[in-house]
mmCIF file of all heavy atoms in Angstrom:
data_model
loop_
_atom_site.group_PDB
_atom_site.id
_atom_site.type_symbol
_atom_site.label_atom_id
_atom_site.label_comp_id
_atom_site.label_asym_id
_atom_site.label_seq_id
_atom_site.Cartn_x
_atom_site.Cartn_y
_atom_site.Cartn_z
ATOM 1 N N MET A 1 4.246 -3.037 15.507
ATOM 2 C CA MET A 1 3.024 -2.247 15.624
ATOM 3 C C MET A 1 2.855 -1.367 14.389
ATOM 4 O O MET A 1 3.817 -0.791 13.904
ATOM 5 C CB MET A 1 3.079 -1.356 16.873
ATOM 6 C CG MET A 1 3.214 -2.131 18.168
ATOM 7 S SD MET A 1 1.738 -3.044 18.597
ATOM 8 C CE MET A 1 0.723 -1.712 19.254
ATOM 9 N N ALA A 2 1.633 -1.294 13.916
ATOM 10 C CA ALA A 2 1.332 -0.477 12.747
ATOM 11 C C ALA A 2 -0.180 -0.297 12.673
ATOM 12 O O ALA A 2 -0.907 -0.908 13.453
ATOM 13 C CB ALA A 2 1.823 -1.150 11.474
ATOM 14 N N TYR A 3 -0.608 0.542 11.762
ATOM 15 C CA TYR A 3 -2.041 0.663 11.532
ATOM 16 C C TYR A 3 -2.464 -0.462 10.589
ATOM 17 O O TYR A 3 -1.685 -0.909 9.733
ATOM 18 C CB TYR A 3 -2.372 2.027 10.920
ATOM 19 C CG TYR A 3 -2.561 3.110 11.969
ATOM 20 C CD1 TYR A 3 -1.485 3.523 12.760
ATOM 21 C CD2 TYR A 3 -3.801 3.691 12.187
ATOM 22 C CE1 TYR A 3 -1.654 4.500 13.740
ATOM 23 C CE2 TYR A 3 -3.976 4.674 13.163
ATOM 24 C CZ TYR A 3 -2.898 5.071 13.929
ATOM 25 O OH TYR A 3 -3.071 6.032 14.901
ATOM 26 N N VAL A 4 -3.705 -0.924 10.781
ATOM 27 C CA VAL A 4 -4.254 -1.983 9.940
ATOM 28 C C VAL A 4 -5.625 -1.526 9.436
ATOM 29 O O VAL A 4 -6.413 -0.957 10.190
ATOM 30 C CB VAL A 4 -4.405 -3.292 10.748
ATOM 31 C CG1 VAL A 4 -5.110 -4.354 9.922
ATOM 32 C CG2 VAL A 4 -3.042 -3.797 11.202
ATOM 33 N N ILE A 5 -5.900 -1.757 8.164
ATOM 34 C CA ILE A 5 -7.181 -1.368 7.566
ATOM 35 C C ILE A 5 -8.173 -2.516 7.676
ATOM 36 O O ILE A 5 -7.907 -3.627 7.218
ATOM 37 C CB ILE A 5 -6.985 -0.939 6.095
ATOM 38 C CG1 ILE A 5 -6.128 0.334 6.052
ATOM 39 C CG2 ILE A 5 -8.333 -0.724 5.405
ATOM 40 C CD1 ILE A 5 -5.756 0.793 4.654
ATOM 41 N N GLY A 6 -9.321 -2.238 8.267
ATOM 42 C CA GLY A 6 -10.349 -3.250 8.471
ATOM 43 C C GLY A 6 -11.250 -3.434 7.272
ATOM 44 O O GLY A 6 -11.136 -2.733 6.254
ATOM 45 N N ASP A 7 -12.176 -4.375 7.397
ATOM 46 C CA ASP A 7 -13.077 -4.712 6.296
ATOM 47 C C ASP A 7 -14.083 -3.601 5.979
ATOM 48 O O ASP A 7 -14.781 -3.677 4.970
ATOM 49 C CB ASP A 7 -13.835 -5.996 6.624
ATOM 50 C CG ASP A 7 -12.916 -7.210 6.636
ATOM 51 O OD1 ASP A 7 -11.825 -7.133 6.032
ATOM 52 O OD2 ASP A 7 -13.294 -8.232 7.235
ATOM 53 N N GLU A 8 -14.134 -2.574 6.831
ATOM 54 C CA GLU A 8 -15.034 -1.441 6.563
ATOM 55 C C GLU A 8 -14.601 -0.675 5.321
ATOM 56 O O GLU A 8 -15.380 0.079 4.739
ATOM 57 C CB GLU A 8 -15.038 -0.470 7.747
ATOM 58 C CG GLU A 8 -15.422 -1.105 9.067
ATOM 59 C CD GLU A 8 -14.196 -1.556 9.868
ATOM 60 O OE1 GLU A 8 -13.210 -2.000 9.238
ATOM 61 O OE2 GLU A 8 -14.248 -1.455 11.100
ATOM 62 N N CYS A 9 -13.330 -0.820 4.928
ATOM 63 C CA CYS A 9 -12.753 -0.063 3.807
ATOM 64 C C CYS A 9 -13.612 -0.163 2.548
ATOM 65 O O CYS A 9 -14.004 -1.247 2.142
ATOM 66 C CB CYS A 9 -11.343 -0.588 3.510
ATOM 67 S SG CYS A 9 -10.572 0.166 2.073
ATOM 68 N N ILE A 10 -13.875 1.009 1.953
ATOM 69 C CA ILE A 10 -14.666 1.062 0.720
ATOM 70 C C ILE A 10 -13.773 1.392 -0.492
ATOM 71 O O ILE A 10 -14.262 1.790 -1.543
ATOM 72 C CB ILE A 10 -15.810 2.092 0.835
ATOM 73 C CG1 ILE A 10 -15.260 3.477 1.233
ATOM 74 C CG2 ILE A 10 -16.850 1.619 1.856
ATOM 75 C CD1 ILE A 10 -16.305 4.598 1.201
ATOM 76 N N SER A 11 -12.451 1.250 -0.297
ATOM 77 C CA SER A 11 -11.485 1.451 -1.384
ATOM 78 C C SER A 11 -11.599 2.812 -2.061
ATOM 79 O O SER A 11 -11.500 2.910 -3.284
ATOM 80 C CB SER A 11 -11.618 0.332 -2.429
ATOM 81 O OG SER A 11 -11.260 -0.917 -1.853
ATOM 82 N N CYS A 12 -11.773 3.862 -1.239
ATOM 83 C CA CYS A 12 -11.889 5.201 -1.820
ATOM 84 C C CYS A 12 -10.522 5.771 -2.206
ATOM 85 O O CYS A 12 -10.434 6.675 -3.028
ATOM 86 C CB CYS A 12 -12.593 6.146 -0.850
ATOM 87 S SG CYS A 12 -11.613 6.580 0.603
ATOM 88 N N GLY A 13 -9.464 5.273 -1.545
ATOM 89 C CA GLY A 13 -8.118 5.719 -1.880
ATOM 90 C C GLY A 13 -7.639 6.969 -1.164
ATOM 91 O O GLY A 13 -6.496 7.385 -1.352
ATOM 92 N N ALA A 14 -8.477 7.570 -0.350
ATOM 93 C CA ALA A 14 -8.106 8.823 0.326
ATOM 94 C C ALA A 14 -6.900 8.655 1.230
ATOM 95 O O ALA A 14 -6.018 9.518 1.278
ATOM 96 C CB ALA A 14 -9.293 9.355 1.121
ATOM 97 N N CYS A 15 -6.825 7.563 1.933
ATOM 98 C CA CYS A 15 -5.723 7.345 2.878
ATOM 99 C C CYS A 15 -4.383 7.212 2.161
ATOM 100 O O CYS A 15 -3.367 7.725 2.627
ATOM 101 C CB CYS A 15 -5.989 6.109 3.721
ATOM 102 S SG CYS A 15 -6.243 4.604 2.764
ATOM 103 N N ALA A 16 -4.380 6.531 1.033
ATOM 104 C CA ALA A 16 -3.139 6.319 0.293
ATOM 105 C C ALA A 16 -2.539 7.655 -0.130
ATOM 106 O O ALA A 16 -1.324 7.836 -0.126
ATOM 107 C CB ALA A 16 -3.393 5.429 -0.917
ATOM 108 N N ALA A 17 -3.390 8.605 -0.463
ATOM 109 C CA ALA A 17 -2.919 9.920 -0.897
ATOM 110 C C ALA A 17 -2.326 10.707 0.257
ATOM 111 O O ALA A 17 -1.487 11.578 0.051
ATOM 112 C CB ALA A 17 -4.071 10.692 -1.537
ATOM 113 N N GLU A 18 -2.758 10.417 1.485
ATOM 114 C CA GLU A 18 -2.295 11.160 2.662
ATOM 115 C C GLU A 18 -1.077 10.549 3.341
ATOM 116 O O GLU A 18 -0.373 11.228 4.095
ATOM 117 C CB GLU A 18 -3.429 11.254 3.684
ATOM 118 C CG GLU A 18 -4.605 12.102 3.234
ATOM 119 C CD GLU A 18 -4.197 13.568 3.038
ATOM 120 O OE1 GLU A 18 -3.422 14.075 3.852
ATOM 121 O OE2 GLU A 18 -4.646 14.173 2.052
ATOM 122 N N CYS A 19 -0.808 9.291 3.116
ATOM 123 C CA CYS A 19 0.289 8.622 3.825
ATOM 124 C C CYS A 19 1.644 9.213 3.430
ATOM 125 O O CYS A 19 2.004 9.209 2.252
ATOM 126 C CB CYS A 19 0.273 7.127 3.522
ATOM 127 S SG CYS A 19 1.595 6.243 4.389
ATOM 128 N N PRO A 20 2.417 9.726 4.406
ATOM 129 C CA PRO A 20 3.691 10.381 4.099
ATOM 130 C C PRO A 20 4.801 9.430 3.652
ATOM 131 O O PRO A 20 5.800 9.871 3.083
ATOM 132 C CB PRO A 20 4.052 11.069 5.423
ATOM 133 C CG PRO A 20 3.411 10.224 6.463
ATOM 134 C CD PRO A 20 2.104 9.762 5.839
ATOM 135 N N VAL A 21 4.615 8.141 3.904
ATOM 136 C CA VAL A 21 5.670 7.180 3.544
ATOM 137 C C VAL A 21 5.197 6.175 2.488
ATOM 138 O O VAL A 21 5.842 5.158 2.231
ATOM 139 C CB VAL A 21 6.194 6.439 4.793
ATOM 140 C CG1 VAL A 21 6.932 7.415 5.715
ATOM 141 C CG2 VAL A 21 5.073 5.743 5.543
ATOM 142 N N GLU A 22 4.041 6.460 1.876
ATOM 143 C CA GLU A 22 3.477 5.614 0.826
ATOM 144 C C GLU A 22 3.391 4.139 1.234
ATOM 145 O O GLU A 22 3.783 3.243 0.484
ATOM 146 C CB GLU A 22 4.285 5.767 -0.472
ATOM 147 C CG GLU A 22 4.236 7.203 -1.003
ATOM 148 C CD GLU A 22 4.982 7.407 -2.327
ATOM 149 O OE1 GLU A 22 5.437 6.402 -2.920
ATOM 150 O OE2 GLU A 22 5.085 8.552 -2.774
ATOM 151 N N ALA A 23 2.881 3.927 2.450
ATOM 152 C CA ALA A 23 2.758 2.559 2.967
ATOM 153 C C ALA A 23 1.458 1.885 2.541
ATOM 154 O O ALA A 23 1.288 0.688 2.749
ATOM 155 C CB ALA A 23 2.838 2.583 4.494
ATOM 156 N N ILE A 24 0.537 2.660 1.954
ATOM 157 C CA ILE A 24 -0.796 2.139 1.645
ATOM 158 C C ILE A 24 -0.967 1.883 0.151
ATOM 159 O O ILE A 24 -0.640 2.732 -0.671
ATOM 160 C CB ILE A 24 -1.890 3.116 2.123
ATOM 161 C CG1 ILE A 24 -1.659 3.479 3.602
ATOM 162 C CG2 ILE A 24 -3.283 2.497 1.932
ATOM 163 C CD1 ILE A 24 -2.599 4.545 4.125
ATOM 164 N N SER A 25 -1.472 0.697 -0.178
ATOM 165 C CA SER A 25 -1.711 0.363 -1.581
ATOM 166 C C SER A 25 -3.043 -0.367 -1.709
ATOM 167 O O SER A 25 -3.596 -0.863 -0.736
ATOM 168 C CB SER A 25 -0.584 -0.519 -2.123
ATOM 169 O OG SER A 25 -0.487 -1.705 -1.355
ATOM 170 N N GLU A 26 -3.557 -0.411 -2.931
ATOM 171 C CA GLU A 26 -4.838 -1.055 -3.165
ATOM 172 C C GLU A 26 -4.667 -2.563 -3.139
ATOM 173 O O GLU A 26 -3.793 -3.119 -3.820
ATOM 174 C CB GLU A 26 -5.426 -0.618 -4.510
ATOM 175 C CG GLU A 26 -6.856 -1.124 -4.711
ATOM 176 C CD GLU A 26 -7.542 -0.451 -5.904
ATOM 177 O OE1 GLU A 26 -6.851 0.232 -6.678
ATOM 178 O OE2 GLU A 26 -8.762 -0.613 -6.034
ATOM 179 N N GLY A 27 -5.488 -3.229 -2.322
ATOM 180 C CA GLY A 27 -5.422 -4.671 -2.227
ATOM 181 C C GLY A 27 -6.660 -5.329 -2.809
ATOM 182 O O GLY A 27 -7.407 -4.694 -3.553
ATOM 183 N N ASP A 28 -6.889 -6.556 -2.449
ATOM 184 C CA ASP A 28 -8.021 -7.310 -2.969
ATOM 185 C C ASP A 28 -9.278 -6.989 -2.157
ATOM 186 O O ASP A 28 -9.480 -7.528 -1.080
ATOM 187 C CB ASP A 28 -7.705 -8.810 -2.880
ATOM 188 C CG ASP A 28 -8.795 -9.663 -3.514
ATOM 189 O OD1 ASP A 28 -9.653 -9.105 -4.228
ATOM 190 O OD2 ASP A 28 -8.786 -10.883 -3.286
ATOM 191 N N GLY A 29 -10.088 -6.069 -2.660
ATOM 192 C CA GLY A 29 -11.322 -5.710 -1.975
ATOM 193 C C GLY A 29 -11.196 -4.606 -0.953
ATOM 194 O O GLY A 29 -12.198 -4.074 -0.493
ATOM 195 N N LYS A 30 -9.980 -4.257 -0.569
ATOM 196 C CA LYS A 30 -9.759 -3.140 0.348
ATOM 197 C C LYS A 30 -8.311 -2.683 0.214
ATOM 198 O O LYS A 30 -7.497 -3.373 -0.407
ATOM 199 C CB LYS A 30 -10.046 -3.557 1.800
ATOM 200 C CG LYS A 30 -9.080 -4.591 2.348
ATOM 201 C CD LYS A 30 -9.370 -4.876 3.834
ATOM 202 C CE LYS A 30 -8.325 -5.819 4.396
ATOM 203 N NZ LYS A 30 -8.512 -6.068 5.836
ATOM 204 N N TYR A 31 -8.010 -1.523 0.797
ATOM 205 C CA TYR A 31 -6.629 -1.043 0.787
ATOM 206 C C TYR A 31 -5.866 -1.701 1.930
ATOM 207 O O TYR A 31 -6.455 -2.098 2.934
ATOM 208 C CB TYR A 31 -6.611 0.489 0.899
ATOM 209 C CG TYR A 31 -6.718 1.170 -0.454
ATOM 210 C CD1 TYR A 31 -7.841 0.936 -1.253
ATOM 211 C CD2 TYR A 31 -5.735 2.004 -0.931
ATOM 212 C CE1 TYR A 31 -7.956 1.545 -2.504
ATOM 213 C CE2 TYR A 31 -5.840 2.617 -2.171
ATOM 214 C CZ TYR A 31 -6.949 2.383 -2.957
ATOM 215 O OH TYR A 31 -7.051 2.972 -4.185
ATOM 216 N N VAL A 32 -4.565 -1.811 1.757
ATOM 217 C CA VAL A 32 -3.737 -2.482 2.765
ATOM 218 C C VAL A 32 -2.527 -1.613 3.130
ATOM 219 O O VAL A 32 -2.037 -0.841 2.312
ATOM 220 C CB VAL A 32 -3.251 -3.860 2.276
ATOM 221 C CG1 VAL A 32 -4.418 -4.823 2.142
ATOM 222 C CG2 VAL A 32 -2.506 -3.736 0.963
ATOM 223 N N ILE A 33 -2.075 -1.763 4.370
ATOM 224 C CA ILE A 33 -0.925 -1.020 4.880
ATOM 225 C C ILE A 33 0.258 -1.968 5.047
ATOM 226 O O ILE A 33 0.133 -3.033 5.651
ATOM 227 C CB ILE A 33 -1.264 -0.374 6.235
ATOM 228 C CG1 ILE A 33 -2.333 0.708 6.053
ATOM 229 C CG2 ILE A 33 0.004 0.224 6.883
ATOM 230 C CD1 ILE A 33 -2.884 1.263 7.358
ATOM 231 N N ASP A 34 1.416 -1.544 4.521
ATOM 232 C CA ASP A 34 2.644 -2.316 4.703
ATOM 233 C C ASP A 34 3.157 -2.018 6.115
ATOM 234 O O ASP A 34 3.618 -0.912 6.407
ATOM 235 C CB ASP A 34 3.671 -1.909 3.657
ATOM 236 C CG ASP A 34 5.012 -2.638 3.845
ATOM 237 O OD1 ASP A 34 5.082 -3.541 4.699
ATOM 238 O OD2 ASP A 34 5.975 -2.289 3.144
ATOM 239 N N ALA A 35 3.050 -2.993 7.005
ATOM 240 C CA ALA A 35 3.397 -2.807 8.417
ATOM 241 C C ALA A 35 4.854 -2.401 8.608
ATOM 242 O O ALA A 35 5.191 -1.698 9.560
ATOM 243 C CB ALA A 35 3.106 -4.086 9.197
ATOM 244 N N ASP A 36 5.730 -2.834 7.732
ATOM 245 C CA ASP A 36 7.141 -2.516 7.879
ATOM 246 C C ASP A 36 7.460 -1.073 7.483
ATOM 247 O O ASP A 36 8.495 -0.530 7.860
ATOM 248 C CB ASP A 36 7.992 -3.465 7.026
ATOM 249 C CG ASP A 36 7.956 -4.897 7.549
ATOM 250 O OD1 ASP A 36 7.747 -5.066 8.767
ATOM 251 O OD2 ASP A 36 8.125 -5.827 6.744
ATOM 252 N N THR A 37 6.559 -0.469 6.703
ATOM 253 C CA THR A 37 6.785 0.899 6.232
ATOM 254 C C THR A 37 6.056 1.925 7.089
ATOM 255 O O THR A 37 6.531 3.035 7.292
ATOM 256 C CB THR A 37 6.320 1.037 4.765
ATOM 257 O OG1 THR A 37 6.983 0.044 3.977
ATOM 258 C CG2 THR A 37 6.648 2.414 4.204
ATOM 259 N N CYS A 38 4.903 1.562 7.631
ATOM 260 C CA CYS A 38 4.061 2.462 8.430
ATOM 261 C C CYS A 38 4.820 3.030 9.631
ATOM 262 O O CYS A 38 5.474 2.303 10.367
ATOM 263 C CB CYS A 38 2.835 1.694 8.915
ATOM 264 S SG CYS A 38 1.762 2.642 10.023
ATOM 265 N N ILE A 39 4.725 4.364 9.813
ATOM 266 C CA ILE A 39 5.385 5.021 10.950
ATOM 267 C C ILE A 39 4.364 5.433 12.014
ATOM 268 O O ILE A 39 4.673 6.219 12.902
ATOM 269 C CB ILE A 39 6.203 6.242 10.479
ATOM 270 C CG1 ILE A 39 5.313 7.244 9.728
ATOM 271 C CG2 ILE A 39 7.381 5.792 9.616
ATOM 272 C CD1 ILE A 39 6.032 8.578 9.416
ATOM 273 N N GLU A 40 3.126 4.921 11.872
ATOM 274 C CA GLU A 40 2.066 5.162 12.870
ATOM 275 C C GLU A 40 1.763 6.639 13.085
ATOM 276 O O GLU A 40 1.578 7.073 14.216
ATOM 277 C CB GLU A 40 2.435 4.511 14.206
ATOM 278 C CG GLU A 40 2.608 2.993 14.102
ATOM 279 C CD GLU A 40 2.985 2.367 15.437
ATOM 280 O OE1 GLU A 40 2.175 2.478 16.368
ATOM 281 O OE2 GLU A 40 4.073 1.790 15.537
ATOM 282 N N CYS A 41 1.721 7.402 12.009
ATOM 283 C CA CYS A 41 1.444 8.835 12.145
ATOM 284 C C CYS A 41 -0.041 9.111 12.360
ATOM 285 O O CYS A 41 -0.413 10.160 12.871
ATOM 286 C CB CYS A 41 1.932 9.575 10.905
ATOM 287 S SG CYS A 41 0.960 9.253 9.424
ATOM 288 N N GLY A 42 -0.892 8.180 11.933
ATOM 289 C CA GLY A 42 -2.331 8.339 12.129
ATOM 290 C C GLY A 42 -3.057 9.131 11.059
ATOM 291 O O GLY A 42 -4.267 9.327 11.143
ATOM 292 N N ALA A 43 -2.347 9.595 10.046
ATOM 293 C CA ALA A 43 -2.967 10.397 8.992
ATOM 294 C C ALA A 43 -4.070 9.628 8.258
ATOM 295 O O ALA A 43 -5.109 10.192 7.921
ATOM 296 C CB ALA A 43 -1.914 10.869 7.997
ATOM 297 N N CYS A 44 -3.853 8.357 8.035
ATOM 298 C CA CYS A 44 -4.857 7.554 7.321
ATOM 299 C C CYS A 44 -6.151 7.461 8.125
ATOM 300 O O CYS A 44 -7.243 7.605 7.577
ATOM 301 C CB CYS A 44 -4.318 6.166 7.023
ATOM 302 S SG CYS A 44 -3.623 5.293 8.443
ATOM 303 N N ALA A 45 -6.017 7.266 9.430
ATOM 304 C CA ALA A 45 -7.201 7.154 10.285
ATOM 305 C C ALA A 45 -7.979 8.468 10.295
ATOM 306 O O ALA A 45 -9.207 8.483 10.314
ATOM 307 C CB ALA A 45 -6.793 6.753 11.695
ATOM 308 N N GLY A 46 -7.241 9.580 10.260
ATOM 309 C CA GLY A 46 -7.889 10.884 10.287
ATOM 310 C C GLY A 46 -8.575 11.237 8.981
ATOM 311 O O GLY A 46 -9.465 12.087 8.955
ATOM 312 N N THR A 47 -8.174 10.599 7.906
ATOM 313 C CA THR A 47 -8.711 10.886 6.575
ATOM 314 C C THR A 47 -9.856 9.965 6.184
ATOM 315 O O THR A 47 -10.770 10.367 5.471
ATOM 316 C CB THR A 47 -7.589 10.735 5.520
ATOM 317 O OG1 THR A 47 -6.539 11.630 5.846
ATOM 318 C CG2 THR A 47 -8.103 11.030 4.121
ATOM 319 N N CYS A 48 -9.841 8.753 6.678
ATOM 320 C CA CYS A 48 -10.810 7.742 6.249
ATOM 321 C C CYS A 48 -12.250 8.087 6.628
ATOM 322 O O CYS A 48 -12.537 8.388 7.785
ATOM 323 C CB CYS A 48 -10.428 6.396 6.876
ATOM 324 S SG CYS A 48 -11.522 5.065 6.367
ATOM 325 N N PRO A 49 -13.181 8.013 5.655
ATOM 326 C CA PRO A 49 -14.592 8.332 5.927
ATOM 327 C C PRO A 49 -15.320 7.251 6.730
ATOM 328 O O PRO A 49 -16.390 7.509 7.260
ATOM 329 C CB PRO A 49 -15.189 8.481 4.516
ATOM 330 C CG PRO A 49 -14.345 7.595 3.668
ATOM 331 C CD PRO A 49 -12.950 7.731 4.233
ATOM 332 N N VAL A 50 -14.745 6.066 6.815
ATOM 333 C CA VAL A 50 -15.433 4.979 7.537
ATOM 334 C C VAL A 50 -14.601 4.425 8.704
ATOM 335 O O VAL A 50 -14.890 3.356 9.235
ATOM 336 C CB VAL A 50 -15.818 3.835 6.567
ATOM 337 C CG1 VAL A 50 -16.848 4.310 5.552
ATOM 338 C CG2 VAL A 50 -14.597 3.272 5.858
ATOM 339 N N GLU A 51 -13.559 5.162 9.086
ATOM 340 C CA GLU A 51 -12.713 4.785 10.224
ATOM 341 C C GLU A 51 -12.165 3.353 10.121
ATOM 342 O O GLU A 51 -12.100 2.623 11.097
ATOM 343 C CB GLU A 51 -13.480 4.955 11.548
ATOM 344 C CG GLU A 51 -13.908 6.394 11.788
ATOM 345 C CD GLU A 51 -14.650 6.585 13.117
ATOM 346 O OE1 GLU A 51 -14.713 5.644 13.917
ATOM 347 O OE2 GLU A 51 -15.167 7.708 13.317
ATOM 348 N N ALA A 52 -11.770 2.987 8.913
ATOM 349 C CA ALA A 52 -11.249 1.627 8.716
ATOM 350 C C ALA A 52 -9.833 1.416 9.261
ATOM 351 O O ALA A 52 -9.547 0.348 9.792
ATOM 352 C CB ALA A 52 -11.317 1.256 7.231
ATOM 353 N N PRO A 53 -8.927 2.418 9.163
ATOM 354 C CA PRO A 53 -7.573 2.182 9.698
ATOM 355 C C PRO A 53 -7.580 2.275 11.227
ATOM 356 O O PRO A 53 -8.057 3.262 11.799
ATOM 357 C CB PRO A 53 -6.738 3.317 9.091
ATOM 358 C CG PRO A 53 -7.555 3.867 7.964
ATOM 359 C CD PRO A 53 -8.982 3.675 8.418
ATOM 360 N N GLN A 54 -7.064 1.257 11.880
ATOM 361 C CA GLN A 54 -7.014 1.239 13.339
ATOM 362 C C GLN A 54 -5.592 0.882 13.778
ATOM 363 O O GLN A 54 -4.929 0.077 13.143
ATOM 364 C CB GLN A 54 -7.973 0.179 13.890
ATOM 365 C CG GLN A 54 -9.438 0.378 13.497
ATOM 366 C CD GLN A 54 -10.139 1.451 14.330
ATOM 367 O OE1 GLN A 54 -9.700 1.778 15.429
ATOM 368 N NE2 GLN A 54 -11.217 1.995 13.788
ATOM 369 N N ALA A 55 -5.162 1.480 14.885
ATOM 370 C CA ALA A 55 -3.851 1.138 15.453
ATOM 371 C C ALA A 55 -3.967 -0.240 16.093
ATOM 372 O O ALA A 55 -4.863 -0.498 16.877
ATOM 373 C CB ALA A 55 -3.440 2.168 16.480
ATOM 374 N N GLU A 56 -3.055 -1.135 15.744
ATOM 375 C CA GLU A 56 -3.088 -2.499 16.309
ATOM 376 C C GLU A 56 -2.044 -2.630 17.386
ATOM 377 O O GLU A 56 -0.989 -2.052 17.306
ATOM 378 C CB GLU A 56 -2.829 -3.514 15.181
ATOM 379 C CG GLU A 56 -3.965 -3.558 14.180
ATOM 380 C CD GLU A 56 -5.064 -4.527 14.579
ATOM 381 O OE1 GLU A 56 -4.740 -5.710 14.815
ATOM 382 O OE2 GLU A 56 -6.219 -4.123 14.650
HETATM 383 FE FE1 SF4 B 101 0.757 5.818 6.485
HETATM 384 FE FE2 SF4 B 101 0.617 7.105 8.798
HETATM 385 FE FE3 SF4 B 101 -1.368 5.492 8.074
HETATM 386 FE FE4 SF4 B 101 0.976 4.439 8.757
HETATM 387 S S1 SF4 B 101 -0.428 5.595 10.128
HETATM 388 S S2 SF4 B 101 -0.232 3.863 6.972
HETATM 389 S S3 SF4 B 101 2.409 5.992 8.002
HETATM 390 S S4 SF4 B 101 -0.767 7.399 7.039
HETATM 391 FE FE1 SF4 B 102 -10.325 2.399 2.658
HETATM 392 FE FE2 SF4 B 102 -10.610 4.395 4.418
HETATM 393 FE FE3 SF4 B 102 -8.411 4.206 2.937
HETATM 394 FE FE4 SF4 B 102 -10.714 4.913 1.801
HETATM 395 S S1 SF4 B 102 -9.575 6.108 3.336
HETATM 396 S S2 SF4 B 102 -9.216 3.422 0.974
HETATM 397 S S3 SF4 B 102 -12.172 3.646 2.971
HETATM 398 S S4 SF4 B 102 -9.082 2.753 4.500
#
């Protein structure tokens, strides 16, 4: 279980700056979360302007 960034992502980078374990990186067309690193803190979801990160 981890957070996953949906296609709504506009690649603003705000979530990557907030992630305490640096699980988020810029991907092809959107940012992506490394599921093995994510600790499900929810900080990315709280920061995102378009609610792209969702708990899966
Ligand atoms: Fe990082 Fe927390 Fe988002 Fe997981 S839920 S990607 S640990 S900010
Ligand atoms: Fe994408 Fe939201 Fe992260 Fe910005 S904060 S890079 S829109 S997931």
Side-chain angles (χ1 to χ4, degrees):
M1 300 290 282
Y3 274 66
V4 174
I5 295 175
D7 291 340
E8 303 94 325
C9 175
I10 55 173
S11 295
C12 70
C15 57
E18 293 296 320
C19 181
V21 293
E22 298 182 7
I24 308 174
S25 58
E26 188 168 11
D28 185 13
K30 66 176 185 177
Y31 273 60
V32 293
I33 294 171
D34 177 7
D36 292 333
T37 305
C38 176
I39 57 172
E40 299 180 62
C41 70
C44 51
T47 301
C48 182
V50 295
E51 299 181 8
Q54 301 281 339
E56 292 273 305

